[in-house]
Amino acid sequence: MATVDLPSTLPIIDLDIFQEDPKSLAALVECEKAADALVTYGALVVKDSRVSEADNEAFLDLMEDYFNQPNEILKKDERPEVGYQVGVTLDNTEKPKCASDEPCLRIIEKLDPSERPLDITGHSADPKCRFFYKMTQTPPYQTAFPQLNMPNVIPDGFKDVWKPTMDKWGNCMKNAVEGVAEMAAIGFGLDRGTFKEAGAYGPHLLAPTASDLRKYGEKDSILAGFHSDLNFLTIHGRSRYPGLNIWARNTGKRIAVKVPPGRYLLVQAGKQLEHLSGGYVKAGFHEVVVNEATLEVLERVKAQNTRPPIRISSTFFWHLSSDFDLEPILQLAKRAEELRNKTGEDTDEIPVYEKMKVGTQVQNELKHIALMA
């Protein structure tokens, strides 16, 4: 894959300007920047003054304490019968789709060897745990996908603090990512509510992952193998440990993500946005690994001996509504075709984005990563 000379830091989009006056020229510039960033990088950093670093810290503390419990206690919160779509998923359960997906493996092959992710061909399942906490508005209709819209699990030992802490930080990220969805829609020349309304009843998930660095803290350990996300947009708060790498579209280069401290969040495009845009936006590939920077933080945490050495990713998956018809928006699909003709991308195998319910797309993806039979 040829490399393209792009900045190695992601564009920063100012959501505050949009919130202040969505119709101002300055806001329109930010909207166009957001759309361009999603097309070019599949990711962006958003500045939102409503974000509180203290709320993120409280959330990270709670997750570290929860995942510091023995597996036999955590296992009580598993719900495999609904594809682990609520509650806990223990380590070595979720498999990165790319480990066995031919189109994904071809993407890796096209990268320069120095820019490839850590080798996932012998990597069976990720050593990370996860917790799924629904942040969903109940639809005013009978959904065809009740298993994707199950009630939340509240862990026994955290009943007083779980819901308020999860709701506070989850709503913070949900508000930010919905603002980005509105900005991107305007930047693409669509109505402001195009994406947000399509996700009004989506099975949104506050979805922290946890990697116990006492067990998986060797350099070059793969905590989350090379993959893209199945939802519409993913938003992350700052983790206490580095290790997230992304691949910007068409650059052929790995970017080590650095989210600035304070009121900033990372946003990545997912498969539902790729599908709805007809491939104009591509779901961003990424991995989480143990690298030198991870180990430096780990040594400091061990020396302080005040917190368990568990890497938490502060992650929120924003989905389109399960019953929404997922098919490419014509004007974006046309731009995708123009972009393919210009860059030569996907010329060997032009992707097909068939019409389907979002819930069907989610179920298909869950089967690929071994979370649903």
Side-chain angles (χ1 to χ4, degrees):
M1 178 183 287
T3 59
V4 177
D5 190 19
L6 285 173
S8 60
T9 54
L10 294 173
I12 296 177
I13 309 304
D14 195 331
L15 182 55
D16 293 342
I17 293 173
F18 180 74
Q19 293 286 338
E20 187 177 325
D21 182 0
K23 295 184 178 179
S24 69
L25 179 59
L28 181 59
V29 169
E30 293 298 312
C31 291
E32 291 174 348
K33 274 174 59 181
D36 289 345
L38 290 171
V39 173
T40 304
Y41 291 89
L44 55 86
V45 172
V46 60
K47 176 177 178 276
D48 183 353
S49 290
R50 298 170 297 178
V51 172
S52 163
E53 186 73 18
D55 290 344
N56 187 34
E57 292 294 320
F59 171 77
L60 294 174
D61 282 347
L62 178 63
M63 292 302 100
E64 288 178 356
D65 292 339
Y66 172 74
F67 284 107
N68 199 36
Q69 300 179 109
N71 268 13
E72 55 266 26
I73 294 178
L74 296 176
K75 201 165 180 63
K76 295 176 184 176
D77 299 329
E78 277 188 322
R79 299 294 184 270
E81 67 275 11
V82 293
Y84 299 92
Q85 291 305 287
V86 289
V88 77
T89 305
L90 294 182
D91 49 349
N92 300 307
T93 301
E94 183 178 339
K95 297 180 179 179
K97 180 180 175 182
C98 285
S100 58
D101 183 63
E102 283 300 323
C104 187
L105 291 172
R106 283 198 292 273
I107 289 171
I108 295 173
E109 286 173 8
K110 291 177 182 177
L111 294 170
D112 185 89
S114 65
E115 301 291 347
R116 288 175 186 167
L118 291 182
D119 185 10
I120 57 169
T121 53
H123 178 74
S124 57
D126 287 336
K128 68 178 187 293
C129 299
R130 190 191 289 283
F131 198 99
F132 275 172
Y133 182 82
K134 293 285 184 189
M135 300 287 298
T136 305
Q137 184 177 343
T138 304
Y141 50 81
Q142 180 111 14
T143 177
F145 302 92
Q147 68 273 44
L148 299 179
N149 296 270
M150 298 299 290
N152 276 319
V153 175
I154 308 295
D156 283 341
F158 299 85
K159 287 192 181 296
D160 292 342
V161 296
W162 194 264
K163 189 176 189 306
T165 305
M166 301 293 268
D167 285 349
K168 191 172 187 181
W169 183 240
N171 279 318
C172 183
M173 291 207 286
K174 184 171 185 279
N175 290 336
V177 76
E178 287 182 343
V180 172
E182 289 183 307
M183 293 178 75
I186 293 170
F188 287 131
L190 307 172
D191 290 340
R192 172 178 174 175
T194 300
F195 299 146
K196 185 178 176 180
E197 290 167 12
Y201 304 109
H204 314 305
L205 291 163
L206 181 56
T209 64
S211 302
D212 191 336
L213 298 177
R214 292 165 296 201
K215 294 164 64 177
Y216 306 113
E218 294 284 328
K219 187 174 183 295
D220 292 338
S221 294
I222 299 173
L223 304 178
F226 187 76
H227 69 287
S228 57
D229 294 336
L230 63 87
N231 51 297
F232 189 82
L233 288 172
T234 301
I235 188 164
H236 303 269
R238 270 169 54 86
S239 174
R240 289 172 172 163
Y241 295 85
L244 173 62
N245 296 319
I246 70 167
W247 279 260
R249 180 186 194 174
N250 280 333
T251 67
K253 292 186 177 181
R254 178 178 56 242
I255 298 174
V257 173
K258 296 178 181 177
V259 179
R263 305 180 185 281
Y264 295 88
L265 301 163
L266 169 70
V267 178
Q268 291 179 282
K271 290 285 188 66
Q272 290 169 12
L273 177 51
E274 177 176 332
H275 199 123
L276 198 62
S277 68
Y280 187 47
V281 176
K282 286 292 188 79
F285 283 99
H286 49 285
E287 68 175 0
V288 181
V289 299
V290 176
N291 57 27
E292 291 288 356
T294 320
L295 294 175
E296 287 175 13
V297 176
L298 178 59
E299 288 309 307
R300 288 202 299 272
V301 171
K302 285 180 175 178
Q304 292 165 355
N305 198 28
T306 56
R307 299 298 308 164
I310 299 172
R311 185 193 190 278
I312 303 295
S313 82
S314 179
T315 301
F316 187 101
F317 294 133
W318 196 84
H319 281 259
L320 299 180
S321 304
S322 301
D323 300 273
F324 181 77
D325 287 321
L326 187 60
E327 63 178 327
I329 295 170
L330 187 58
Q331 69 192 77
L332 298 185
K334 286 181 177 177
R335 288 191 218 168
E337 184 178 4
E338 291 167 2
L339 188 60
R340 279 196 300 270
N341 292 337
K342 180 180 177 182
T343 64
E345 183 183 39
D346 295 330
T347 50
D348 52 342
E349 187 177 353
I350 296 174
V352 177
Y353 301 101
E354 297 177 358
K355 182 178 178 179
M356 65 180 73
K357 294 290 186 185
V358 168
T360 301
Q361 176 259 345
V362 171
Q363 290 176 334
N364 291 343
E365 292 287 336
L366 291 176
K367 290 171 185 175
H368 276 295
I369 59 176
L371 293 186
M372 186 172 280

